[in-house]
Amino acid sequence: MKNLRTKVLSAVLAVSVLGASAVAFTGCGNKDTTNDSKVTLTNVSYDPTRELYESYNKIFAKHWKEETGQDVEVTQSHGGSGKQALEVANGLEADVVTLALEYDVNAIRDAGLIEDGWVNEFDNDSSPYTSTIVFLVRKGNPKNIKDWDDVAKDGVGVITPNPKTSGGARWNYLAAWAYADKKYNGDEAKIEDFIKKLYQNVLVLDSGARGATTSFVENGQGDVLLAWENEAYLSIKDNPDEYEIVTPSVSILAQPSVAVVDEVVDQRGTRKVATEYLSYLYSDEAQRIAGDNYYRPYNKEILKEYSDVFDLNINLVTINDFGGWDEAQKKHFADGGIFDKIYEKK
């Protein structure tokens, strides 16, 4: 399928952005939009990518118009990644999905809408940008939060989304688990106790990462937000005198995943534009837009351009350290898994 990316510019389209919710996919028969003057595309994404795709859709529109002469209108849908995946699996129209993790895309695959092998369609396991998990604290760091131990201390109010609905929340949880695993040399009883203590400090579990940011930033709840790195930087950009970022000693390489929704694009005749829409995320121009929006570019040379922004020496575990997403989901986040075992609703 990688060869498809080299051929997509023989198709047609162009892009103009609208941030709106998607509509239910009712199916309109197999068709070809190649000769249409305008085509629409729906990108179902997760919470913290709003600003990224607002910028990206504009440059893609220009790129595609120049290459093909066709206009394209991109409709965005945002929410908790797990919830978004469920919505697409249940019929929410999406030509492409740009979600927080591979497992959520696999849920759509398992519903029969995405072909096997999607993860190999684009470079870096179909992850054009990465991120990690950091702490956002209030200016001056009044609770002196430096690492995961401090997040689990008595009297610390924690804000993090719900791992049942948010991909970012699952990355948060696994980053904390990785720290505890190192601290307790793999003693799972002690690791579970640590994670339980941390979640006892959680004041509210929002459904998605952006909702958690709102709880911390706008509603003034909590002492520390467990956040996507890009969310933390956006909060500081908007409120430079109110917050600061703390990088923990151990975190996780978060790899958001992108995929074409095969069932939808074949019905709508949008495969060529949808494929190029994701392929162009790897272009130098798009990689710099990712960096400007505080995602870590996949392109290592471009990533170096942002070395003054990101801590490139942070100790990052990967999802492979947990046996991959299927194993991590089954063990930690499935009904009856460890998260259900340790989390007590307030």
Side-chain angles (χ1 to χ4, degrees):
M1 297 179 74
K2 284 188 176 181
N3 290 335
L4 186 58
R5 304 206 317 271
T6 64
K7 301 176 182 178
V8 290
L9 291 180
S10 62
V12 283
L13 294 170
V15 131
S16 105
V17 170
L18 287 177
S21 60
V23 294
F25 173 54
T26 55
C28 48
N30 292 317
K31 57 184 293 188
D32 183 0
T33 61
T34 300
N35 295 318
D36 295 348
S37 62
K38 179 179 179 180
V39 68
T40 60
L41 193 71
T42 297
N43 175 10
V44 173
S45 196
Y46 66 109
D47 266 338
T49 61
R50 300 168 196 267
E51 293 79 10
L52 167 62
Y53 282 105
E54 181 179 357
S55 297
Y56 173 71
N57 289 343
K58 293 174 183 177
I59 67 151
F60 179 74
K62 182 174 181 291
H63 159 72
W64 197 249
K65 181 74 170 180
E66 289 174 351
E67 294 292 336
T68 69
Q70 189 181 41
D71 294 317
V72 65
E73 179 180 301
V74 179
T75 298
Q76 290 294 136
S77 174
H78 297 274
S81 185
K83 185 176 183 294
Q84 291 288 80
L86 181 62
E87 293 286 348
V88 173
N90 288 335
L92 178 68
E93 180 184 275
D95 298 276
V96 299
V97 290
T98 55
L99 297 174
L101 44 90
E102 180 182 328
Y103 182 84
D104 289 338
V105 180
N106 282 341
I108 303 170
R109 177 204 63 190
D110 293 344
L113 301 178
I114 293 176
E115 296 173 2
D116 288 340
W118 68 268
V119 75
N120 298 315
E121 183 169 358
F122 303 102
D123 290 341
N124 196 37
D125 298 327
S126 290
S127 180
Y129 43 80
T130 65
S131 190
T132 189
I133 303 305
V134 298
F135 307 150
L136 185 68
V137 299
R138 306 195 187 281
K139 198 70 173 180
N141 195 4
K143 292 296 180 76
N144 196 29
I145 294 168
K146 297 180 179 178
D147 214 337
W148 291 101
D149 275 332
D150 302 311
V151 177
K153 287 190 307 188
D154 290 340
V156 174
V158 178
I159 302 296
T160 182
N162 189 340
K164 293 287 192 174
T165 56
S166 166
R170 278 169 271 175
W171 290 118
N172 293 351
Y173 172 104
L174 293 176
W177 185 281
Y179 172 84
D181 182 50
K182 181 179 179 181
K183 177 181 175 70
Y184 296 113
N185 296 312
D187 186 326
E188 289 219 355
K190 292 181 178 179
I191 299 170
E192 286 187 25
D193 285 343
F194 179 87
I195 298 296
K196 182 174 183 177
K197 181 64 180 67
L198 188 157
Y199 277 89
Q200 285 174 343
N201 286 349
V202 174
L203 302 180
V204 59
L205 285 179
D206 289 287
S207 64
R210 184 55 57 89
T213 301
T214 298
S215 292
F216 184 78
V217 172
E218 296 184 16
N219 300 339
Q221 295 178 287
D223 302 301
V224 56
L225 172 69
L226 308 186
W228 288 94
E229 186 175 49
N230 69 292
E231 279 285 275
Y233 274 110
L234 286 174
S235 297
I236 288 181
K237 180 181 179 181
D238 294 337
N239 307 277
D241 298 325
E242 297 185 34
Y243 306 102
E244 58 188 80
I245 292 174
V246 175
T247 301
S249 63
V250 175
S251 194
I252 192 165
L253 177 66
Q255 291 182 280
S257 297
V258 303
V260 172
V261 184
D262 298 290
E263 181 75 14
V264 173
V265 298
D266 287 343
Q267 286 286 337
R268 299 190 66 239
T270 54
R271 177 175 289 277
K272 292 175 182 177
V273 62
T275 303
E276 177 63 7
Y277 180 79
L278 298 183
S279 178
Y280 197 66
L281 285 167
Y282 293 84
S283 68
D284 288 355
E285 184 180 21
Q287 289 283 286
R288 289 190 174 93
I289 282 183
D292 290 344
N293 284 274
Y294 305 106
Y295 280 96
R296 297 183 176 217
Y298 157 67
N299 184 309
K300 290 181 174 56
E301 292 304 312
I302 293 178
L303 176 60
K304 290 178 183 177
E305 297 175 13
Y306 295 87
S307 60
D308 60 334
V309 176
F310 303 121
D311 179 357
L312 301 183
N313 298 313
I314 185 173
N315 181 14
L316 298 177
V317 300
T318 73
I319 192 60
N320 292 331
D321 294 309
F322 294 87
W325 267 114
D326 287 342
E327 180 61 29
Q329 180 72 23
K330 179 181 178 181
K331 178 176 179 178
H332 295 279
F333 309 118
D335 291 345
I338 292 176
F339 178 75
D340 283 350
K341 177 180 174 182
I342 61 96
Y343 182 68
E344 298 174 1
K345 293 183 180 178
K346 292 179 171 54

